Amino acid sequence: MNTNFTPFPDLQTNRLLLRRLTSDDCVQLQQLRSDENVNRYLKRPKSVTIDECEAFVKKIDGNLNDGIGAYWVIAPKTDNTLIGTVCLWNFNLENETVDLGYELSPTYQGQGLMLEVVEKIIAFAFNTMQAKTIFALTRPDNEGSRNLLKRSNFQQDVDYQYVSEEDAEGDVVYFLKN
């Protein structure tokens, strides 16, 4: 499985740019990661300071350089401002699997934007990274995320025992095979 992200793979959909996270994104990232509606289904602190965001950017750069995770800013082509993020992480080189994660500002939800993003990231994971399986976890009550995964052809795996550094207890596991 290819985990070399040099140079960083900027991607595009019809309406969006998927680009590398920088410290210039910290104000928008702080707003996104402290939004109650975004955090409702995520297991992370309710708010994030700008300093924590800058430390997060450094962590993401380290993951990217180490080939263990890739994280894209989702930005409209019209202004290139962060409105969400998408990532591939928890790489399992032996089994050739990756995990998919995403978040989008509530202002932009319900417009089909995340479907564009997920389709582009799926193509990248399968065609460029040569992953065999993509996993995604979501809370059982997160209907928007569950519907997105189903529209993207993910299947629910009721038997899979998910093992991750994150506490996934209670999450619904979906998978998509190449």
Side-chain angles (χ1 to χ4, degrees):
M1 191 165 73
N2 178 12
T3 60
N4 180 356
F5 300 101
T6 304
F8 185 79
D10 288 333
L11 306 172
Q12 291 188 38
T13 72
N14 288 337
R15 300 177 282 176
L16 301 166
L17 299 172
L18 306 180
R19 61 169 175 79
R20 189 172 186 161
L21 178 70
T22 71
S23 58
D24 292 340
D25 297 308
C26 278
V27 171
Q28 289 83 19
L29 185 63
Q30 185 273 334
Q31 291 170 350
L32 180 70
R33 292 179 65 91
S34 61
D35 186 289
E36 282 188 36
N37 289 320
V38 172
N39 283 329
R40 179 173 44 182
Y41 302 111
L42 300 174
K43 297 171 188 159
R44 66 176 178 207
K46 297 285 183 214
S47 71
V48 178
T49 66
I50 295 296
D51 287 343
E52 289 169 326
C53 281
E54 289 178 1
F56 181 74
V57 171
K58 288 180 183 169
K59 176 184 171 187
I60 293 302
D61 280 344
N63 290 347
L64 191 63
N65 292 335
D66 293 342
I68 61 173
Y71 189 93
W72 289 265
V73 166
I74 301 168
K77 285 183 176 178
T78 55
D79 67 12
N80 201 22
T81 300
L82 184 150
I83 62 168
T85 66
V86 62
C87 65
L88 294 170
W89 64 286
N90 200 28
F91 299 167
N92 182 319
L93 300 180
E94 182 180 330
N95 295 320
E96 298 178 306
T97 66
V98 298
D99 286 7
L100 170 68
Y102 47 81
E103 60 191 340
L104 187 65
S105 169
T107 303
Y108 296 92
Q109 293 176 8
Q111 301 173 33
L113 297 174
M114 194 55 79
L115 184 60
E116 285 182 32
V117 169
V118 168
E119 288 174 351
K120 181 60 78 170
I121 293 297
I122 289 169
F124 178 83
F126 286 155
N127 300 330
T128 302
M129 291 182 67
Q130 300 297 306
K132 300 292 184 218
T133 307
I134 302 171
F135 287 101
L137 284 77
T138 188
R139 304 298 307 160
D141 57 342
N142 188 344
E143 285 300 316
S145 185
R146 291 180 74 173
N147 289 336
L148 170 65
L149 293 171
K150 289 174 188 174
R151 283 192 311 257
S152 301
N153 298 314
F154 279 77
Q155 303 291 315
Q156 185 175 344
D157 189 342
V158 294
D159 297 322
Y160 187 78
Q161 292 296 313
Y162 187 83
V163 178
S164 169
E165 62 191 58
E166 298 291 316
D167 174 19
E169 186 177 334
D171 285 346
V172 180
V173 177
Y174 286 85
F175 69 94
L176 182 64
K177 290 193 176 283
N178 190 6

